[in-house]
Amino acid sequence: MAAKPFASSADLAAKEQTLEVLADGVYALTAEGDPNIGAVEGEDFLVCFEALATPVVAARWLEKLREHTDKPIRYLVLSHYHAVRVLGASAFDAEVIVAHENTRALVAERGEQDWASEFARMPRLAEGADTVPGLTWPTATFSDRMSIDLGGDRGDLVLQYCGRGHTEGDIVAWLPRHGILFAGDLVEAEAALYTGDAFHREWASSTLDNVAALGAHTLVGGRGGVSRGPDAVAAAISQTRHFLRVMIEHVGAVQRAGGTLKEAFERTHAALVDDYGRWPIFEHCLPFDVSRLWDELSGVDRPIIWTAERDQEVWAQLQS
């Protein structure tokens, strides 16, 4: 059997982007399973959520956004540190770049390696890679909660740390006035999970409990379409939790039986593929997901740093 193309290296087809107005002054851009991005208008400024992978790609989003508003960007909020979410930041020319304090530490610890890793895994997302001026450094951080007063009668945008999940620094952006939640990669709607830097057991339990407790009526996940209505929001959270729990169940069973990482991957793939195999980046993510979970269940608390070389080794071991 021929080896599968590495990660998303063969995924070169353009994805259709859809800009949706979720409420007055609240915007989301989705793109058939590519990373989602959003923006919220304050009275005389904008808050943008996520930055995409390069300034070239981010500039296209900003062109679409400028069809609706010309307010200056005061805040750029980054849900976590992954390169395809943050390295387009220079295009926004934001006054303040906000992230969790753990995210800033992760940029310092592993930002360079993640940059090389993600651009090799997803070259289509890295269009204009030579325009990235360097690592993106938050200029304002917080530990639990930060509120941005949007001015006038627009209420607050609440940035909330819900616990360790997709990474140890993920945050969500919550608009209580509208019941709209930008959840980052803590929740995916009909898109596979990437868990290579995750804390699976906390994510599947207390962290998602905290996300659900916000009571969103509209949710923009990290990938996939916008979830509209309480039932759709609950379904997206439930799907995310189920994916994690199935992984924990099957990787754990193989490990307890004295099996190998390859056996754990094959068993987990078989358990998930019927429900999730058709969704974006499933085959790409699962080897890295299982490898991290295997480490976690072996007592490795913090994820081992992914490098371009390690990516290739794990792919060859599990997807060959």
Side-chain angles (χ1 to χ4, degrees):
M1 181 185 299
K4 294 179 180 177
F6 173 66
S8 291
S9 61
D11 180 9
L12 302 177
K15 309 300 182 185
E16 182 178 355
Q17 295 183 331
T18 302
L19 190 149
E20 299 181 55
V21 181
L22 306 180
D24 180 28
V26 184
Y27 310 96
L29 186 77
T30 62
E32 298 184 298
D34 274 1
N36 294 336
I37 191 167
V40 178
E41 289 188 47
E43 188 172 24
D44 58 3
F45 63 90
L46 277 171
V47 182
C48 289
F49 187 73
E50 310 287 41
L52 299 174
T54 71
V56 167
V57 178
R60 292 202 192 107
W61 149 242
L62 291 171
E63 286 177 7
K64 294 178 183 292
L65 184 60
R66 289 308 183 198
E67 295 174 5
H68 297 267
T69 175
D70 61 0
K71 293 175 182 177
I73 299 169
R74 183 175 299 172
Y75 298 96
L76 173 60
V77 177
L78 304 176
S79 69
H80 62 287
Y81 78 96
H82 284 153
V84 296
R85 302 287 182 180
V86 305
L87 291 181
S90 62
F92 292 77
D93 196 25
E95 293 180 28
V96 183
I97 300 175
V98 185
H100 192 267
E101 61 188 17
N102 289 347
T103 291
R104 195 181 201 287
L106 287 163
V107 172
E109 179 187 50
R110 57 186 70 198
E112 290 281 359
Q113 296 94 326
D114 182 71
W115 181 352
S117 167
E118 294 216 330
F119 278 27
R121 291 185 191 181
M122 295 172 278
R124 180 176 51 76
L125 298 184
E127 180 187 354
D130 59 345
T131 65
V132 178
L135 293 173
T136 297
W137 293 98
T139 59
T141 62
F142 64 97
S143 59
D144 297 311
R145 181 184 174 101
M146 173 179 171
S147 291
I148 297 172
D149 181 355
L150 296 173
D153 62 353
R154 292 179 178 270
D156 289 341
L157 176 65
V158 180
L159 308 180
Q160 181 74 46
Y161 181 64
C162 295
R164 299 195 300 183
H166 173 72
T167 72
E168 59 191 306
D170 297 89
I171 60 174
V172 301
W174 168 232
L175 280 165
R177 182 171 179 266
H178 297 294
I180 297 173
L181 181 66
F182 291 90
D185 280 324
L186 286 176
V187 180
E188 310 290 13
E190 297 196 359
L193 274 61
Y194 174 68
T195 73
D197 295 300
F199 299 80
H200 296 77
R201 291 168 292 189
E202 289 174 56
W203 187 1
S205 54
S206 57
T207 299
L208 283 178
D209 289 346
N210 290 333
V211 173
L214 293 170
H217 288 206
T218 302
L219 182 146
V220 184
R223 295 174 183 263
V226 176
S227 300
R228 297 177 182 271
D231 290 347
V233 170
I237 294 171
S238 177
Q239 167 237 302
T240 301
R241 197 189 303 267
H242 180 259
F243 193 107
L244 292 165
R245 286 179 171 171
V246 170
M247 286 183 60
I248 292 166
E249 174 189 352
H250 290 283
V251 174
V254 172
Q255 199 172 83
R256 288 189 299 272
T260 65
L261 176 62
K262 175 75 167 178
E263 290 167 346
F265 172 75
E266 291 173 347
R267 176 165 169 171
T268 305
H269 186 283
L272 289 169
V273 69
D274 287 346
D275 288 333
Y276 303 107
R278 70 188 185 283
W279 288 0
I281 67 171
F282 174 80
E283 296 291 348
H284 168 162
C285 292
L286 199 62
F288 308 116
D289 296 353
V290 171
S291 179
R292 164 54 189 157
L293 180 54
W294 182 271
D295 288 344
E296 184 181 352
L297 296 179
S298 301
V300 180
D301 181 56
R302 298 190 68 243
I304 298 169
I305 294 173
W306 290 102
T307 65
E309 294 76 20
R310 182 171 176 239
D311 289 352
Q312 292 283 354
E313 290 169 1
V314 168
W315 187 267
Q317 180 183 3
L318 300 184
Q319 282 283 38
S320 59

